[in-house]
Structures are given as structure tokens and as C-alpha cells.
Coordinates of all heavy atoms in Angstrom, one line a residue:
M14 N 0.8 -1.2 0.0 CA 0.0 0.0 0.0 C 0.9 1.2 0.0 O 1.8 1.3 0.7 CB -0.9 0.0 1.2 CG -1.7 1.2 1.4 SD -2.8 1.0 2.9 CE -4.2 2.0 2.3
E15 N 0.5 2.2 -0.8 CA 1.3 3.4 -0.9 C 0.9 4.4 0.2 O -0.3 4.5 0.5 CB 1.0 4.0 -2.3 CG 2.2 4.7 -2.9 CD 1.9 5.2 -4.3 OE1 1.6 4.4 -5.2 OE2 2.0 6.4 -4.5
T16 N 1.8 5.1 0.7 CA 1.5 6.1 1.7 C 1.6 7.5 1.1 O 2.5 7.7 0.3 CB 2.4 6.0 3.0 OG1 3.8 6.2 2.5 CG2 2.3 4.6 3.7
T17 N 0.8 8.3 1.6 CA 0.8 9.7 1.2 C 1.5 10.6 2.2 O 1.2 10.5 3.4 CB -0.6 10.2 0.9 OG1 -1.2 9.4 0.0 CG2 -0.6 11.6 0.4
T18 N 2.4 11.3 1.8 CA 3.1 12.2 2.7 C 2.4 13.6 2.6 O 2.4 14.2 1.5 CB 4.6 12.4 2.4 OG1 5.2 11.1 2.4 CG2 5.3 13.2 3.4
F19 N 1.9 14.0 3.7 CA 1.3 15.4 3.7 C 2.4 16.4 4.0 O 3.3 16.2 4.9 CB 0.2 15.4 4.8 CG -1.0 14.5 4.5 CD1 -1.1 13.3 5.0 CD2 -1.9 14.9 3.6 CE1 -2.1 12.4 4.7 CE2 -3.0 14.1 3.3 CZ -3.1 12.8 3.8
P20 N 2.2 17.6 3.4 CA 3.2 18.6 3.7 C 3.1 19.1 5.2 O 2.1 19.2 5.7 CB 2.9 19.7 2.8 CG 1.5 19.5 2.3 CD 1.2 18.0 2.5
Q21 N 4.3 19.2 5.8 CA 4.3 19.7 7.1 C 4.3 21.2 7.1 O 4.8 21.8 6.2 CB 5.6 19.2 7.8 CG 5.7 17.7 8.0 CD 4.7 17.2 8.9 OE1 4.4 17.7 9.9 NE2 4.0 16.1 8.5
P22 N 3.7 21.8 8.2 CA 3.7 23.3 8.2 C 5.2 23.7 8.3 O 6.0 23.1 8.9 CB 3.0 23.6 9.5 CG 2.7 22.3 10.2 CD 3.0 21.2 9.3
A23 N 5.5 24.8 7.7 CA 6.8 25.3 7.7 C 7.3 25.6 9.1 O 6.5 26.1 9.9 CB 6.9 26.6 6.8
T24 N 8.5 25.3 9.4 CA 9.1 25.6 10.7 C 9.3 27.1 10.7 O 9.9 27.7 9.9 CB 10.5 24.9 10.8 OG1 10.3 23.5 10.7 CG2 11.1 25.2 12.2
P25 N 8.7 27.8 11.8 CA 8.8 29.2 11.8 C 10.3 29.7 12.2 O 11.0 29.0 12.9 CB 7.8 29.6 12.9 CG 7.8 28.4 13.8 CD 8.0 27.2 12.9
L26 N 10.6 30.8 11.7 CA 11.8 31.5 12.1 C 11.5 32.3 13.4 O 10.6 33.1 13.5 CB 12.3 32.5 11.1 CG 13.5 33.3 11.4 CD1 14.7 32.4 11.6 CD2 13.8 34.3 10.2
V27 N 12.3 32.0 14.5 CA 12.1 32.7 15.7 C 12.9 33.9 15.7 O 14.1 33.9 15.5 CB 12.5 31.8 16.9 CG1 12.3 32.6 18.3 CG2 11.6 30.5 16.9
V28 N 12.3 35.1 16.0 CA 12.9 36.4 16.0 C 12.8 37.0 17.4 O 11.7 37.2 17.9 CB 12.3 37.4 15.0 CG1 13.0 38.7 15.0 CG2 12.3 36.7 13.6
D29 N 14.0 37.1 18.0 CA 14.0 37.6 19.4 C 14.3 39.1 19.3 O 15.3 39.5 18.8 CB 15.1 36.9 20.2 CG 15.2 37.2 21.6 OD1 14.9 38.4 22.0 OD2 15.5 36.3 22.4
V30 N 13.3 40.0 19.8 CA 13.5 41.4 19.6 C 14.1 42.1 20.8 O 14.0 43.3 20.9 CB 12.1 42.1 19.2 CG1 11.6 41.5 17.9 CG2 11.1 41.9 20.3
R31 N 14.7 41.3 21.7 CA 15.3 41.9 22.9 C 16.7 42.5 22.5 O 17.2 42.3 21.4 CB 15.5 40.9 24.0 CG 14.2 40.4 24.5 CD 14.4 39.3 25.5 NE 15.1 38.1 24.9 CZ 15.8 37.3 25.6 NH1 16.0 37.4 26.9 NH2 16.5 36.3 25.0
S32 N 17.3 43.2 23.4 CA 18.7 43.7 23.2 C 19.7 42.6 23.0 O 19.4 41.5 23.5 CB 19.1 44.6 24.3 OG 19.4 43.8 25.5
P33 N 20.8 42.9 22.4 CA 21.9 41.9 22.2 C 22.3 41.3 23.6 O 22.5 40.0 23.7 CB 23.0 42.6 21.6 CG 22.4 43.7 20.8 CD 21.2 44.1 21.6
G34 N 22.4 42.1 24.6 CA 22.8 41.6 25.9 C 21.7 40.6 26.5 O 22.1 39.5 27.1
E35 N 20.5 40.9 26.3 CA 19.4 40.0 26.8 C 19.4 38.7 26.0 O 19.2 37.6 26.6 CB 18.0 40.7 26.6 CG 17.7 41.8 27.6 CD 16.4 42.5 27.2 OE1 16.3 43.1 26.2 OE2 15.5 42.4 28.0
F36 N 19.6 38.8 24.7 CA 19.7 37.7 23.8 C 20.8 36.7 24.2 O 20.6 35.5 24.3 CB 19.9 38.1 22.4 CG 19.9 37.0 21.3 CD1 18.7 36.5 20.9 CD2 21.1 36.5 20.8 CE1 18.7 35.5 19.9 CE2 21.1 35.5 19.9 CZ 19.9 35.0 19.4
E37 N 22.0 37.3 24.5 CA 23.1 36.5 24.9 C 22.9 35.8 26.3 O 23.4 34.7 26.5 CB 24.4 37.3 25.0 CG 24.9 37.8 23.7 CD 25.3 36.7 22.8 OE1 26.0 35.8 23.2 OE2 25.0 36.8 21.6
A38 N 22.1 36.4 27.1 CA 21.8 35.8 28.4 C 20.9 34.5 28.3 O 20.9 33.7 29.2 CB 21.1 36.8 29.3
G39 N 20.2 34.4 27.2 CA 19.4 33.2 27.0 C 18.4 33.4 25.9 O 17.6 34.4 26.0
H40 N 18.4 32.6 24.9 CA 17.5 32.7 23.7 C 17.1 31.3 23.2 O 17.8 30.3 23.5 CB 18.2 33.5 22.6 CG 19.5 32.9 22.1 ND1 20.7 33.2 22.7 CD2 19.7 32.0 21.1 CE1 21.6 32.5 22.1 NE2 21.1 31.8 21.1
V41 N 16.0 31.3 22.5 CA 15.5 30.0 21.9 C 16.5 29.5 20.9 O 17.0 30.3 20.1 CB 14.1 30.3 21.3 CG1 13.6 29.0 20.6 CG2 13.1 30.8 22.3
D42 N 16.8 28.3 21.0 CA 17.8 27.6 20.0 C 17.3 27.9 18.6 O 16.1 27.7 18.2 CB 17.8 26.1 20.3 CG 18.9 25.5 19.5 OD1 20.0 26.1 19.3 OD2 18.7 24.3 19.0
G43 N 18.2 28.5 17.8 CA 17.9 28.8 16.4 C 17.3 30.1 16.1 O 17.1 30.5 15.0
A44 N 17.1 30.9 17.2 CA 16.5 32.2 17.1 C 17.5 33.2 16.5 O 18.8 33.0 16.7 CB 16.0 32.8 18.4
I45 N 17.0 34.2 15.8 CA 17.9 35.3 15.4 C 17.6 36.5 16.3 O 16.5 36.7 16.8 CB 17.8 35.7 13.9 CG1 16.3 36.1 13.6 CG2 18.2 34.5 13.0 CD1 16.2 36.8 12.2
N46 N 18.5 37.4 16.5 CA 18.3 38.6 17.3 C 18.2 39.8 16.4 O 19.1 40.1 15.6 CB 19.6 38.8 18.2 CG 19.4 39.9 19.2 OD1 20.4 40.6 19.5 ND2 18.2 40.1 19.7
L47 N 17.0 40.4 16.5 CA 16.7 41.6 15.7 C 16.1 42.6 16.7 O 14.8 42.6 16.9 CB 15.8 41.3 14.5 CG 15.4 42.5 13.7 CD1 16.6 43.3 13.1 CD2 14.5 42.1 12.5
P48 N 16.9 43.3 17.5 CA 16.3 44.2 18.5 C 15.3 45.2 18.0 O 15.3 45.6 16.8 CB 17.5 45.0 19.0 CG 18.7 44.1 18.6 CD 18.3 43.5 17.4
L49 N 14.3 45.4 18.8 CA 13.1 46.3 18.4 C 13.6 47.6 17.9 O 13.1 48.1 16.9 CB 12.2 46.4 19.6 CG 10.9 47.3 19.3 CD1 10.1 46.6 18.3 CD2 10.1 47.4 20.6
D50 N 14.6 48.2 18.5 CA 15.1 49.5 18.1 C 15.9 49.5 16.7 O 16.2 50.5 16.2 CB 15.9 50.2 19.2 CG 17.2 49.4 19.5 OD1 17.4 48.3 19.0 OD2 18.0 50.0 20.3
R51 N 16.1 48.3 16.2 CA 16.8 48.1 14.9 C 15.9 47.6 13.8 O 16.3 47.4 12.7 CB 18.0 47.1 15.0 CG 19.1 47.6 16.0 CD 19.9 48.7 15.6 NE 20.4 48.5 14.2 CZ 20.9 49.4 13.4 NH1 20.9 50.7 13.9 NH2 21.3 49.1 12.2
L52 N 14.6 47.3 14.2 CA 13.7 46.6 13.3 C 13.5 47.4 12.0 O 13.6 46.9 10.9 CB 12.3 46.4 14.0 CG 11.3 45.5 13.4 CD1 11.9 44.1 13.3 CD2 10.0 45.5 14.2
G53 N 13.2 48.7 12.2 CA 13.0 49.5 11.0 C 14.1 49.6 10.0 O 13.9 49.7 8.8
T54 N 15.3 49.6 10.5 CA 16.5 49.7 9.6 C 17.1 48.4 9.1 O 17.6 48.3 8.1 CB 17.6 50.5 10.3 OG1 17.9 49.9 11.6 CG2 17.2 51.9 10.6
D55 N 16.9 47.3 9.9 CA 17.5 46.0 9.6 C 16.6 45.0 9.0 O 17.1 43.9 8.5 CB 18.2 45.5 10.8 CG 19.4 46.3 11.2 OD1 19.8 47.3 10.5 OD2 20.0 46.1 12.3
C56 N 15.3 45.1 9.2 CA 14.4 44.0 8.8 C 14.4 43.6 7.4 O 14.4 42.4 7.1 CB 13.0 44.2 9.3 SG 11.9 45.0 8.2
A57 N 14.6 44.5 6.5 CA 14.6 44.1 5.0 C 15.8 43.2 4.7 O 15.7 42.3 3.9 CB 14.6 45.4 4.2
Q58 N 16.9 43.5 5.4 CA 18.1 42.7 5.2 C 18.0 41.4 5.9 O 18.4 40.3 5.4 CB 19.3 43.5 5.6 CG 20.6 42.7 5.4 CD 21.8 43.5 5.9 OE1 21.7 44.6 6.4 NE2 23.0 42.9 5.7
V59 N 17.6 41.4 7.1 CA 17.5 40.2 8.0 C 16.4 39.3 7.6 O 16.5 38.1 7.7 CB 17.5 40.6 9.5 CG1 17.4 39.4 10.4 CG2 18.7 41.4 9.8
L60 N 15.2 39.9 7.2 CA 14.0 39.1 6.9 C 13.5 39.5 5.5 O 12.5 40.1 5.3 CB 12.9 39.5 7.9 CG 13.3 39.3 9.4 CD1 12.2 39.9 10.3 CD2 13.5 37.9 9.7
P61 N 14.3 39.1 4.5 CA 13.9 39.5 3.1 C 12.6 38.9 2.6 O 12.0 39.5 1.7 CB 15.1 39.1 2.3 CG 15.7 37.9 3.1 CD 15.5 38.2 4.5
D62 N 12.3 37.7 3.0 CA 11.1 37.0 2.5 C 9.9 37.2 3.4 O 9.8 36.7 4.5 CB 11.4 35.5 2.4 CG 10.2 34.7 1.8 OD1 9.2 35.3 1.4 OD2 10.4 33.5 1.6
K63 N 8.9 38.0 2.9 CA 7.8 38.4 3.7 C 6.8 37.3 3.9 O 5.8 37.4 4.6 CB 7.1 39.6 3.1 CG 8.0 40.9 3.2 CD 7.3 42.1 2.7 CE 8.1 43.3 2.9 NZ 7.5 44.6 2.5
A64 N 7.0 36.1 3.2 CA 6.1 35.0 3.4 C 6.6 34.0 4.4 O 5.9 33.0 4.7 CB 5.9 34.3 2.0
T65 N 7.8 34.2 4.9 CA 8.4 33.3 5.9 C 7.6 33.3 7.2 O 7.3 34.4 7.7 CB 9.9 33.6 6.2 OG1 10.6 33.5 5.0 CG2 10.5 32.8 7.3
P66 N 7.2 32.2 7.7 CA 6.5 32.2 9.0 C 7.5 32.7 10.1 O 8.6 32.2 10.3 CB 6.1 30.8 9.3 CG 6.4 30.0 8.0 CD 7.3 30.8 7.2
L67 N 7.0 33.7 10.9 CA 7.8 34.3 12.0 C 7.1 34.1 13.3 O 5.9 34.4 13.4 CB 8.1 35.8 11.7 CG 8.7 36.2 10.4 CD1 8.7 37.7 10.2 CD2 10.1 35.6 10.2
V68 N 7.9 33.8 14.3 CA 7.4 33.8 15.7 C 8.3 34.8 16.4 O 9.5 34.5 16.5 CB 7.4 32.4 16.4 CG1 7.0 32.5 17.8 CG2 6.4 31.5 15.7
L69 N 7.7 35.8 17.0 CA 8.5 36.8 17.7 C 8.4 36.6 19.2 O 7.4 36.2 19.7 CB 8.0 38.2 17.3 CG 8.5 38.8 16.0 CD1 8.1 38.0 14.8 CD2 8.0 40.2 15.8
C70 N 9.5 37.0 19.9 CA 9.5 36.8 21.3 C 10.4 37.9 21.9 O 11.2 38.5 21.3 CB 10.0 35.4 21.7 SG 11.7 35.0 21.3
C71 N 10.2 38.1 23.2 CA 11.0 39.0 24.0 C 10.9 38.6 25.5 O 10.8 37.4 25.7 CB 10.5 40.5 23.8 SG 8.8 40.8 24.4
L72 N 10.9 39.5 26.4 CA 10.9 39.1 27.8 C 9.5 38.7 28.3 O 9.2 37.7 28.9 CB 11.5 40.2 28.7 CG 11.5 39.9 30.2 CD1 12.5 38.7 30.5 CD2 12.0 41.1 31.0
S73 N 8.5 39.6 27.9 CA 7.1 39.4 28.3 C 6.1 39.3 27.2 O 5.0 38.9 27.5 CB 6.7 40.6 29.2 OG 6.6 41.8 28.4
G74 N 6.5 39.7 26.0 CA 5.5 39.7 24.9 C 5.1 41.1 24.5 O 4.5 41.3 23.4
A75 N 5.5 42.1 25.2 CA 5.1 43.5 24.9 C 5.9 44.0 23.7 O 5.3 44.5 22.7 CB 5.4 44.4 26.1
R76 N 7.2 43.9 23.7 CA 8.1 44.3 22.6 C 7.8 43.5 21.3 O 7.7 44.0 20.2 CB 9.6 44.3 22.9 CG 10.0 45.4 23.8 CD 11.4 45.3 24.2 NE 11.6 44.3 25.2 CZ 12.7 43.9 25.8 NH1 13.9 44.5 25.4 NH2 12.8 43.0 26.8
S77 N 7.6 42.2 21.5 CA 7.4 41.3 20.3 C 6.0 41.6 19.8 O 5.8 41.5 18.6 CB 7.5 39.8 20.7 OG 6.7 39.5 21.8
G78 N 5.0 42.0 20.6 CA 3.7 42.4 20.1 C 3.8 43.7 19.2 O 3.2 43.8 18.2
M79 N 4.6 44.7 19.7 CA 4.8 45.9 18.9 C 5.5 45.5 17.6 O 5.1 46.1 16.5 CB 5.6 46.9 19.7 CG 4.9 47.5 20.8 SD 5.8 48.9 21.6 CE 6.9 47.9 22.6
A80 N 6.5 44.7 17.6 CA 7.2 44.3 16.4 C 6.3 43.5 15.5 O 6.4 43.8 14.3 CB 8.4 43.4 16.8
A81 N 5.5 42.7 16.0 CA 4.6 41.9 15.1 C 3.6 42.8 14.4 O 3.4 42.6 13.2 CB 3.8 40.8 16.0
Q82 N 3.1 43.8 15.1 CA 2.2 44.7 14.5 C 2.8 45.5 13.4 O 2.3 45.7 12.3 CB 1.6 45.7 15.6 CG 0.6 46.6 15.0 CD 0.0 47.5 16.1 OE1 0.5 47.5 17.2 NE2 -1.0 48.3 15.7
W83 N 4.1 46.0 13.6 CA 4.8 46.7 12.7 C 5.1 45.9 11.4 O 5.0 46.3 10.3 CB 6.1 47.3 13.3 CG 6.8 48.2 12.4 CD1 6.6 49.6 12.2 CD2 7.9 47.9 11.4 NE1 7.4 50.1 11.2 CE2 8.2 49.1 10.8 CE3 8.5 46.7 11.2 CZ2 9.2 49.1 9.8 CZ3 9.5 46.7 10.2 CH2 9.9 47.9 9.5
L84 N 5.6 44.6 11.6 CA 5.9 43.8 10.5 C 4.7 43.5 9.7 O 4.8 43.4 8.4 CB 6.5 42.4 11.0 CG 7.9 42.6 11.5 CD1 8.3 41.3 12.3 CD2 8.9 42.8 10.4
R85 N 3.5 43.3 10.3 CA 2.3 43.1 9.5 C 2.0 44.3 8.6 O 1.6 44.2 7.5 CB 1.1 42.8 10.4 CG 1.1 41.4 11.0 CD -0.1 41.0 11.8 NE 0.1 40.0 12.7 CZ 0.3 40.2 14.0 NH1 0.2 41.4 14.6 NH2 0.5 39.1 14.8
Q86 N 2.2 45.5 9.2 CA 1.9 46.7 8.4 C 2.9 46.8 7.3 O 2.6 47.5 6.3 CB 2.1 47.9 9.3 CG 1.0 48.1 10.4 CD 1.2 49.1 11.4 OE1 2.4 49.7 11.5 NE2 0.2 49.5 12.1
Q87 N 4.1 46.2 7.4 CA 5.1 46.2 6.3 C 4.8 45.1 5.2 O 5.6 45.0 4.3 CB 6.5 46.1 6.9 CG 6.9 47.1 7.9 CD 6.6 48.5 7.4 OE1 7.0 48.9 6.4 NE2 5.8 49.3 8.2
G88 N 3.8 44.3 5.5 CA 3.4 43.3 4.5 C 3.9 41.9 4.8 O 3.7 41.0 4.0
Y89 N 4.5 41.6 6.0 CA 4.8 40.3 6.4 C 3.5 39.5 6.6 O 2.6 40.0 7.3 CB 5.7 40.3 7.6 CG 7.1 40.7 7.2 CD1 7.4 42.1 7.1 CD2 8.1 39.8 6.9 CE1 8.7 42.5 6.8 CE2 9.4 40.3 6.5 CZ 9.7 41.6 6.5 OH 10.9 42.0 6.1
Q90 N 3.4 38.3 6.0 CA 2.2 37.6 6.0 C 1.9 36.6 7.1 O 0.7 36.4 7.4 CB 2.1 36.9 4.6 CG 2.2 37.8 3.4 CD 2.6 37.0 2.2 OE1 2.6 35.8 2.1 NE2 3.0 37.8 1.1
Q91 N 2.9 36.1 7.7 CA 2.8 35.1 8.7 C 3.6 35.4 10.0 O 4.7 34.9 10.2 CB 3.2 33.7 8.2 CG 2.4 33.2 7.0 CD 2.9 31.8 6.6 OE1 2.7 30.9 7.3 NE2 3.5 31.7 5.4
V92 N 3.0 36.3 10.8 CA 3.7 36.8 11.9 C 2.9 36.5 13.2 O 1.7 36.8 13.2 CB 3.9 38.4 11.9 CG1 4.7 38.9 13.1 CG2 4.6 38.7 10.6
A93 N 3.6 35.9 14.2 CA 2.9 35.6 15.4 C 3.7 36.1 16.6 O 4.9 36.1 16.6 CB 2.7 34.1 15.6
N94 N 3.0 36.7 17.6 CA 3.7 37.1 18.8 C 3.7 35.9 19.7 O 2.6 35.5 20.3 CB 2.9 38.3 19.5 CG 3.5 38.7 20.7 OD1 4.6 38.2 21.1 ND2 2.9 39.6 21.4
G95 N 4.8 35.3 19.9 CA 5.0 34.1 20.7 C 5.0 34.4 22.2 O 4.9 33.5 23.1
G96 N 5.2 35.7 22.6 CA 5.3 36.1 24.0 C 6.7 36.0 24.5 O 7.7 36.4 23.8
S97 N 6.9 35.4 25.6 CA 8.2 35.3 26.3 C 9.1 34.2 25.6 O 8.6 33.3 25.0 CB 8.0 35.0 27.8 OG 7.6 33.6 27.9
V98 N 10.4 34.3 25.8 CA 11.3 33.4 25.3 C 11.0 32.0 25.9 O 11.0 31.0 25.1 CB 12.8 33.8 25.8 CG1 13.8 32.7 25.4 CG2 13.1 35.1 25.1
G99 N 10.7 31.9 27.1 CA 10.4 30.6 27.7 C 9.1 29.9 27.1 O 9.1 28.7 26.9
S100 N 8.1 30.8 26.9 CA 6.9 30.3 26.3 C 7.2 29.7 24.9 O 6.7 28.7 24.5 CB 5.9 31.4 26.2 OG 4.7 31.0 25.6
V101 N 7.9 30.5 24.1 CA 8.2 30.0 22.7 C 9.1 28.8 22.7 O 8.8 27.8 21.9 CB 8.9 31.2 21.9 CG1 9.5 30.7 20.6 CG2 8.0 32.3 21.7
A102 N 10.0 28.7 23.6 CA 10.9 27.5 23.7 C 10.0 26.3 24.0 O 10.2 25.2 23.4 CB 11.9 27.7 24.8
L103 N 9.0 26.4 25.0 CA 8.1 25.3 25.3 C 7.2 24.9 24.1 O 7.1 23.8 23.8 CB 7.3 25.7 26.5 CG 7.9 25.6 27.9 CD1 7.0 26.1 28.9 CD2 8.3 24.1 28.2
Q104 N 6.6 25.9 23.5 CA 5.7 25.7 22.4 C 6.4 25.0 21.2 O 5.8 24.1 20.6 CB 5.1 27.0 21.9 CG 4.1 27.6 22.9 CD 3.6 28.9 22.4 OE1 3.6 29.2 21.3 NE2 3.2 29.8 23.4
L105 N 7.6 25.4 20.9 CA 8.3 24.8 19.8 C 9.2 23.7 20.2 O 9.9 23.1 19.3 CB 9.2 25.9 19.1 CG 8.4 27.1 18.5 CD1 9.3 28.1 17.9 CD2 7.4 26.6 17.4
Q106 N 9.3 23.3 21.4 CA 10.1 22.3 22.0 C 11.5 22.4 21.6 O 12.2 21.5 21.1 CB 9.5 20.9 21.5 CG 8.1 20.7 22.0 CD 7.6 19.3 21.5 OE1 8.1 18.7 20.7 NE2 6.4 19.0 22.2
R107 N 12.1 23.6 21.9 CA 13.5 23.9 21.6 C 14.1 24.3 22.9 O 13.5 25.0 23.8 CB 13.6 25.1 20.6 CG 13.1 24.8 19.2 CD 13.4 25.9 18.3 NE 12.8 25.8 17.0 CZ 12.9 26.7 16.1 NH1 13.6 27.8 16.3 NH2 12.3 26.5 14.9
P108 N 15.4 24.0 23.1 CA 16.1 24.4 24.3 C 16.4 25.9 24.3 O 16.4 26.6 23.2 CB 17.4 23.6 24.2 CG 17.6 23.3 22.8 CD 16.2 23.2 22.2
I109 N 16.7 26.4 25.4 CA 17.2 27.8 25.5 C 18.8 27.8 25.6 O 19.3 27.0 26.3 CB 16.7 28.5 26.8 CG1 15.1 28.7 26.6 CG2 17.4 29.8 27.0 CD1 14.4 29.3 27.7
R110 N 19.4 28.6 24.7 CA 20.8 28.6 24.6 C 21.3 29.9 25.3 O 20.7 30.9 25.2 CB 21.3 28.6 23.2 CG 20.8 27.4 22.4 CD 21.7 26.2 22.7 NE 21.3 25.0 21.9 CZ 21.4 23.8 22.3 NH1 21.9 23.5 23.5 NH2 20.9 22.8 21.6
R111 N 22.5 29.8 25.8 CA 23.2 31.0 26.4 C 24.4 31.3 25.6 O 25.1 30.4 25.1 CB 23.5 30.8 27.8 CG 22.3 30.5 28.7 CD 22.5 30.6 30.1 NE 21.4 30.0 30.9 CZ 20.2 30.4 30.9 NH1 19.8 31.4 30.2 NH2 19.3 29.8 31.7
G112 N 24.7 32.6 25.4 CA 25.9 33.0 24.7 C 25.7 33.3 23.3 O 24.7 33.2 22.7

């Protein structure tokens, strides 16, 4: 019997919008650091594909919420505010890395 492979949902790119120092202290494995204060100047270079699924995180979800709203206004199609780093790590079943 032949089996059908269903497409898996794309693995989201985790974007941590905290400062570089906060990021170094502990971040979701595989996350990129794009601080909120650099979002407007760096996002086109760091996030060139507006169709890439993104999960944003920070300390509490406040900064990532602001970043998610701004990215949607810029045309990014799949943006989610994941809340805190710990919450995103649990949801995606990824470890937290330091350094």
C-alpha cells in the first residue's frame, strides 16, 4: 500500500526582539536577534522573504507584540507574537541557549 506524505507546516523562524545583551543571556535555540530598536533599519536585510513564518519573542511579549504589528503593516504575511522566550521554547520544543 502506498502512503501519502502530507506537507508539514513550515518551521517558523524565531525572531528575538530583545537587546543583544538580553539575547546572549538566554535565547531560543535557532533564534535570530533583531532588537526592536533596529527593526525599521535592519528587517529588510535580515528578513527578506515576507512569506516566511515568523514567531517573535521578548521578555514578556510586549516588545514582540509591537514588532509583530509593525511587521504586518510592512506586508509580512505570517507573523505571530509568541510572547516570552520561555513560552516560545516550550511551544516549539526547543532548548534555551546562552551565549
Side-chain angles (χ1 to χ4, degrees):
M14 176 178 212
E15 216 175 301
T16 59
T17 303
T18 304
F19 293 98
Q21 296 295 315
T24 301
L26 175 61
V27 178
V28 181
D29 190 322
V30 298
R31 298 175 301 154
S32 71
E35 290 175 293
F36 183 81
E37 291 296 317
H40 57 273
V41 177
D42 188 35
I45 62 168
N46 185 216
L47 181 56
L49 183 61
D50 64 352
R51 301 287 310 161
L52 194 63
T54 55
D55 294 350
C56 89
Q58 180 181 1
V59 176
L60 307 171
D62 184 357
K63 292 184 177 186
T65 299
L67 304 173
V68 174
L69 279 60
C70 63
C71 63
L72 182 63
S73 67
R76 286 177 282 181
S77 54
M79 289 186 281
Q82 182 179 8
W83 187 84
L84 287 168
R85 285 187 204 104
Q86 290 171 346
Q87 304 309 307
Y89 287 83
Q90 301 160 12
Q91 299 183 66
V92 181
N94 179 6
S97 72
V98 172
S100 176
V101 171
L103 282 173
Q104 290 174 27
L105 297 178
Q106 299 179 347
R107 294 188 191 176
I109 292 179
R110 301 280 182 215
R111 301 195 192 296

